[in-house]
Amino acid sequence: MKRDTRLIHAGRSKKWTGSAVNPPVVRASTIVFDTMAELKAATQQRGNRVPFYGRRGTATHFAFQEAMCELEGGVGCALYPCGAAAISGALLAFLKQGDHLLMVDTAYEPTRSLCNKLLAGLGIETTYYDPMIGAGIAALIKSNTRVIFLESPGSLTMEVQDIPAICQVAKQHNIITILDNTWASPILCRPFELGVDISIQAATKYIIGHSDVMLGTATANEQCWPQLREQSYLLGYCASADDVYAASRGLRTLGVRLKQHEQNALMIANWLAQRPEVAAIRHPAFADNPGHAFFKRDFSGSNGLFSFVLKQGSAAQVQAFIEGMQHFKMGFSWGGYESLITATLNVQALRSATTWPFSGPLLRLHIGLEDPEDLIADLELAFTRFATV
Ligand SMILES: *Cc1c(COP(=O)(O)O)cnc(C)c1O
């Protein structure tokens, strides 16, 4: 089956949907049984998409979990109330006091804070590594290294990692690899074919696609699934049937949405690349983006999220650029149908193992589904405001 067809079919077996097209919302905390034998059978099968207790999920959850495995390629998928919970849940499932974690230097900022604050407090040590390190990661491995965490491309700055090279080294040392795969969504990269053990999605972004639901997933291979599932269950992580229903629904249009996000974003990135104020475009599909060769090898396309760096610009100029936008709203997150903009004046403050090569401010755009000509007109006026401060 081709990708777009798989998106239509994934997780829609009659077992979950009955005679409806979409998996219906099945809300439950308590599941009741008629006989001791039925309860015993459900207890034995409770990790295998069998109704047991609400926290283990209902048919709504099982349908989406099955879909995520079909799309990403793992054997099981744990659900979380948001992407950040999927990250903490996956890390806490495999790390204990005295362990060592290798974390990519360009990780999503709350992931870095989790390591520096919560994990450090539990006696788990983190070493940050250069996203471009590749097989050189071997030199950073210690006897107590248990997990290597990747995020590719990196939040804000878009470095693309050599995922297979890192995973190969990890396997030689019996180290688990966890990838924050949110940028690719479940369809632009096949993480398990690249050697990853656990793939994380902030489903909040493109899977939901409408900026109105928080949800996280962690999909695992056969080796890691039982431990991920049971530890996350012990931590109490679960997601509401209503939110999971919205995620299943989002999958059906993910392919067409992403194609339009990609096309619009490339048009705008190419326009920005011609502007005299711009020092660099950080977009994985651009030839000068760090790791572009890995992007071409491992990804089947791009999306609406990229950044650009200005040659120079004061805080007041950046403020003038962003305030007064008609279509680009200022706000965190991305992956919805609407365009967004955020500014980062000090990228270096967000990293500790690498040196950010630019001095001007960085602007990150999420290109939505508006007509790109309207978005370009919006940016053109922003450059005028920028110049007149
Ligand atoms: C948004 C995001 C997260 C966190 O997801 P939430 O659902 O907001 O908790 C994690 N990783 C990346 C790369 C993200 O962009």
Side-chain angles (χ1 to χ4, degrees):
M1 242 188 255
K2 302 268 194 215
R3 191 185 80 188
D4 286 346
T5 316
R6 225 184 310 126
L7 279 171
I8 300 307
H9 284 272
R12 281 186 48 232
S13 81
K14 271 207 150 163
K15 193 169 158 194
W16 313 129
T17 60
S19 52
V21 171
N22 280 340
V25 180
V26 180
R27 307 187 55 143
S29 55
T30 306
I31 310 288
V32 292
F33 304 92
D34 289 333
T35 65
M36 296 285 283
E38 279 173 27
L39 186 140
K40 190 175 168 201
T43 306
Q44 281 165 351
Q45 288 299 312
R46 65 188 183 276
N48 298 324
R49 298 180 197 140
V50 166
F52 170 72
Y53 177 58
R55 189 153 20 103
R56 292 268 184 192
T58 67
T60 313
H61 303 81
F62 303 150
F64 179 62
Q65 288 169 318
E66 191 173 280
M68 287 301 291
C69 291
E70 270 180 65
L71 297 170
E72 285 203 297
V75 304
C77 174
L79 302 179
Y80 301 85
C82 64
I87 293 167
S88 68
L91 286 170
L92 289 170
F94 292 94
L95 292 168
K96 62 182 186 316
Q97 184 181 20
D99 285 348
H100 176 237
L101 162 69
L102 284 169
M103 172 58 64
V104 65
D105 202 31
T106 42
Y108 178 62
E109 208 252 323
T111 303
R112 176 179 279 269
S113 295
L114 173 79
C115 298
N116 295 349
K117 294 175 182 166
L118 193 136
L119 296 187
L122 294 175
I124 297 158
E125 184 203 355
T126 301
T127 300
Y128 291 93
Y129 68 88
D130 183 338
M132 306 320 296
I133 200 166
I137 194 131
L140 298 180
I141 291 172
K142 304 187 196 189
S143 59
N144 60 341
T145 306
R146 296 282 171 265
V147 172
I148 300 176
F149 193 101
L150 306 89
E151 181 182 319
S152 184
S155 269
L156 286 184
T157 48
M158 302 291 155
E159 294 86 348
V160 183
Q161 297 190 253
D162 189 348
I163 298 172
I166 292 173
C167 291
Q168 198 184 352
V169 172
K171 277 196 174 51
Q172 285 160 0
H173 292 82
N174 268 322
I175 294 169
I176 290 172
T177 47
I178 304 176
L179 167 70
D180 185 333
N181 192 34
T182 302
W183 189 90
S185 87
I187 62 170
L188 298 177
C189 170
R190 300 270 297 165
F192 296 96
E193 288 169 16
L194 303 178
V196 166
D197 293 313
I198 296 172
S199 173
I200 286 173
Q201 291 288 337
T204 309
K205 309 289 167 59
Y206 281 122
I207 294 175
I208 292 291
H210 293 69
S211 305
D212 53 1
V213 173
M214 311 281 311
L215 188 70
T217 68
T219 306
N221 61 13
E222 198 152 15
Q223 178 210 340
C224 292
W225 171 237
Q227 185 166 337
L228 176 74
R229 181 188 72 211
E230 293 310 312
Q231 301 283 65
S232 294
Y233 185 71
L234 290 180
L235 284 163
Y237 283 127
C238 58
S240 92
D242 304 79
D243 294 347
V244 174
Y245 161 81
S248 272
R249 197 186 218 248
L251 288 178
R252 311 311 162 198
T253 56
L254 181 62
V256 284
R257 283 188 283 117
L258 274 181
K259 273 178 222 158
Q260 196 64 49
H261 282 293
E262 173 179 44
Q263 192 183 315
N264 292 3
L266 284 171
M267 184 171 161
I268 288 164
N270 281 313
W271 179 82
L272 283 166
Q274 304 304 317
R275 293 289 310 194
E277 302 92 337
V278 171
I281 305 288
R282 283 296 178 105
H283 185 308
F286 274 52
D288 62 349
N289 193 78
H292 172 67
F294 308 134
F295 171 77
K296 282 212 300 200
R297 184 189 65 192
D298 299 337
F299 290 70
S300 58
S302 59
N303 62 25
L305 190 75
F306 72 94
S307 297
F308 64 101
V309 187
L310 295 169
K311 285 178 184 157
Q312 57 77 41
S314 65
Q317 282 181 295
V318 171
Q319 186 182 345
F321 189 106
I322 290 186
E323 291 181 1
M325 285 271 186
Q326 193 187 350
H327 302 297
F328 286 90
K329 304 297 177 198
M330 192 182 359
F332 297 110
S333 200
W334 47 276
Y337 51 78
E338 81 291 5
S339 289
L340 294 170
I341 184 166
T342 55
T344 307
L345 297 183
N346 187 355
V347 175
Q348 189 61 49
L350 302 174
R351 49 185 68 203
S352 54
T354 52
T355 305
W356 175 242
F358 301 100
S359 56
L362 175 138
L363 295 170
R364 188 180 75 175
L365 300 180
H366 177 254
I367 305 300
L369 302 176
E370 304 91 343
D371 191 306
E373 287 186 17
D374 287 331
L375 299 178
I376 285 174
D378 207 14
L379 288 166
E380 197 145 29
L381 287 173
F383 276 116
T384 307
R385 289 192 300 274
F386 178 85
T388 48
V389 168

